[in-house]
Amino acid sequence: MAFCSPHTTTSLRSPCTTIPNSGFRQNQVILFTTRSSRRSTTRHGARTFQVSCAVEKPIVIGLAADSGCGKSTFMRRLTSVFGGAAEPPKGGNPDSNTLISDTTTVICLDDYHSLDRTGRKEKGVTALDPKANDFDLMYEQVKAIKEGKAIEKPIYNHVTGLLDPAELIQPPKIFVIEGLHPMYDERVRDLLDFSIYLDISNEVKFAWKIQRDMAERGHSLESIKASIEARKPDFDAFIDPQKQYADAVIEVLPTQLIPDDNEGKVLRVKLIMKEGVKFFNPVYLFDEGSTINWIPCGRKLTCSYPGIKFSYGPDTYFGQEVSVLEMDGQFDRLDELIYVESHLSNLSTKFYGEVTQQMLKHADFPGSNNGTGLFQTIVGLKIRDLYEQIIAERAGVPAEAAKV
């Protein structure tokens, strides 16, 4: 097993080129030293790789979903995997939608609305309609970030419904664009290194909205139904079709463990993983490529009614080969999740039990007792692994040398 130590030194003869507005903090020579027990032509078996600053250019992740479908919770789980709390830009607009951590920057694509709330009402369009969004600017700015350049990104103020003055965004290591349309425009879609779609079924979405709007906001059932129906045509036309382009889809459905359940409290969740995606190996249960049904409840996993059921197997999704991992039911004790984790492979964890640790760390997050939290955590770990592999390939070093 190789042990890697990264060394960063400033050099007057650095091969890195200074790029105006590139976002690089300094010219650097990054040396990765790999030590191995095997014989080597270099002294003490150490091989040194020199990495240019070009590896600092961000990777870009896209997350698509309708409003109120868990994008914010997913982003909190993702940024936690990379370390550091995600916070709004310091000293900036208090109503900014941007979140920044040590490694990641997450922007909300609502910031590319070309019409404010009043403008949309006057023109009779919803925020889901492409006519209410500036895809040219979205493409230009995502492309600039991917090239390592800072941008002046607009801000859509969700409190006032107005378009606020722009904010400065520096290129991070990982740049996440989340919102309604990250995969709608082909130009933007082609810039993504990995893409995810959160697919909440109509039944679950309706149950969630009733729970929130009736219990918390005092809305009537009729007004909730009218609101959902008003959005549905644009959702079906412009948002839902994006899932065919996603590398991973988290699909949330009503449980099949409780007959005729319509409360949306117990969920059946699928993780649909596209085959053949570079740097992404789908997770599998027990035996890769087999069809598995597993009911793990017993002495090793506490399960109250209606229990838990896992499934795994190959399938097709919009004509493409996929692997599908499914969980129906919910956990009673998160500390026992390690039993389930031990039967899953290709998790891209750095140590045994990392999935369980992440779930326990955020036990108060929505979905932490069911497949939504579990699969969001797993996808976060897979994105970390993808990032490390991309950086290693750009640098021309072994993947172990780029571990974060």
Side-chain angles (χ1 to χ4, degrees):
M1 179 178 180
F3 298 91
C4 307
S5 304
H7 307 282
T8 305
T9 61
T10 305
S11 171
L12 293 175
R13 294 191 295 177
S14 166
C16 304
T17 350
T18 302
I19 305 172
N21 298 319
S22 66
F24 298 144
R25 296 178 181 85
Q26 61 179 358
N27 286 345
Q28 293 179 327
V29 177
I30 303 173
L31 303 178
F32 291 104
T33 302
T34 305
R35 303 189 185 281
S36 174
S37 59
R38 297 181 180 179
R39 290 186 179 181
S40 171
T41 55
T42 58
R43 188 179 181 185
H44 305 306
R47 295 180 296 161
T48 300
F49 301 88
Q50 183 168 295
V51 184
S52 73
C53 285
V55 301
E56 292 293 328
K57 290 183 179 179
I59 70 164
V60 182
I61 307 297
L63 172 65
D66 196 4
S67 300
C69 289
K71 296 189 296 294
S72 298
T73 301
F74 191 3
M75 289 300 94
R76 289 161 68 195
R77 293 188 191 276
L78 175 62
T79 54
S80 175
V81 166
F82 285 94
E87 299 175 344
K90 293 180 180 178
N93 188 329
D95 295 320
S96 171
N97 304 305
T98 301
L99 291 174
I100 298 174
S101 70
D102 296 343
T103 308
T104 61
T105 293
V106 181
I107 67 164
C108 175
L109 294 184
D110 288 359
D111 288 336
Y112 293 98
H113 287 341
S114 55
L115 298 173
D116 61 17
R117 192 174 294 156
T118 302
R120 293 196 300 272
K121 287 182 179 179
E122 290 174 349
K123 292 187 177 293
V125 297
T126 70
L128 290 73
D129 192 318
K131 292 194 292 287
N133 297 273
D134 189 341
F135 287 100
D136 289 337
L137 181 61
M138 185 190 301
Y139 164 68
E140 290 167 5
Q141 294 202 334
V142 174
K143 181 173 180 288
I145 285 285
K146 187 157 187 172
E147 291 172 349
K149 302 172 184 176
I151 60 172
E152 291 281 347
K153 183 190 62 58
I155 298 174
Y156 176 76
N157 192 316
H158 286 95
V159 178
T160 65
L162 300 174
L163 303 174
D164 285 355
E167 62 184 353
L168 178 67
I169 302 294
Q170 296 286 353
K173 291 182 178 179
I174 299 164
F175 187 61
V176 184
I177 60 173
E178 63 91 355
L180 298 169
H181 302 98
M183 292 172 270
Y184 179 81
D185 187 287
E186 184 178 3
R187 299 168 301 170
V188 177
R189 190 166 68 237
D190 288 344
L191 294 172
L192 301 178
D193 293 290
F194 194 78
S195 55
I196 311 108
Y197 186 91
L198 300 184
D199 188 13
I200 315 300
S201 70
N202 290 331
E203 300 92 333
V204 173
K205 196 184 298 183
F206 183 59
W208 283 359
K209 196 166 180 63
I210 287 177
Q211 291 170 24
R212 184 189 68 182
D213 290 358
M214 288 187 72
E216 299 176 15
R217 302 179 181 178
H219 295 183
S220 68
L221 183 62
E222 291 71 23
S223 67
I224 294 171
K225 287 181 178 178
S227 173
I228 291 174
E229 289 303 316
R231 288 174 59 88
K232 195 171 187 307
D234 280 355
F235 173 79
D236 291 343
F238 308 121
I239 312 305
D240 193 57
Q242 293 176 77
K243 63 189 179 186
Q244 65 186 297
Y245 304 114
D247 298 312
V249 175
I250 297 177
E251 184 177 6
V252 184
L253 303 155
T255 181
Q256 292 182 332
L257 301 176
I258 303 174
D260 302 318
D261 177 71
N262 59 5
E263 292 187 1
K265 293 181 179 179
V266 179
L267 302 173
R268 177 166 62 103
V269 187
K270 293 183 177 183
L271 175 56
I272 303 168
M273 300 162 283
K274 191 179 292 183
E275 296 283 354
V277 177
K278 191 174 182 180
F279 303 127
F280 176 72
N281 294 314
V283 178
Y284 64 90
L285 176 66
F286 291 119
D287 184 45
E288 188 172 15
S290 296
T291 299
I292 307 289
N293 290 295
W294 180 42
I295 299 175
C297 299
R299 284 177 289 182
K300 296 182 179 179
L301 190 68
T302 305
C303 297
S304 58
Y305 179 81
I308 296 178
K309 180 180 179 181
F310 283 88
S311 302
Y312 162 78
D315 206 341
T316 56
Y317 188 75
F318 289 96
Q320 297 178 321
E321 291 185 3
V322 296
S323 290
V324 181
L325 179 64
E326 178 181 318
M327 174 185 165
D328 196 350
Q330 56 191 29
F331 302 108
D332 285 352
R333 294 182 52 182
L334 277 181
D335 59 321
E336 294 179 342
L337 178 59
I338 188 69
Y339 174 60
V340 173
E341 181 178 350
S342 67
H343 290 82
L344 296 170
S345 298
N346 275 354
L347 287 171
S348 299
T349 53
K350 292 186 180 294
F351 54 86
Y352 179 73
E354 187 177 12
V355 172
T356 303
Q357 183 193 74
Q358 284 289 329
M359 291 285 285
L360 285 167
K361 183 179 178 181
H362 303 298
D364 58 334
F365 284 12
S368 289
N369 66 338
N370 60 47
T372 58
L374 175 61
F375 293 159
Q376 287 176 8
T377 298
I378 289 173
V379 171
L381 294 169
K382 300 299 289 184
I383 290 173
R384 181 183 66 188
D385 182 62
L386 176 130
Y387 165 76
E388 291 171 349
Q389 292 189 65
I390 290 175
I391 292 303
E393 182 185 63
R394 289 177 183 174
V397 302
E400 289 81 4
K403 296 293 183 183
V404 297

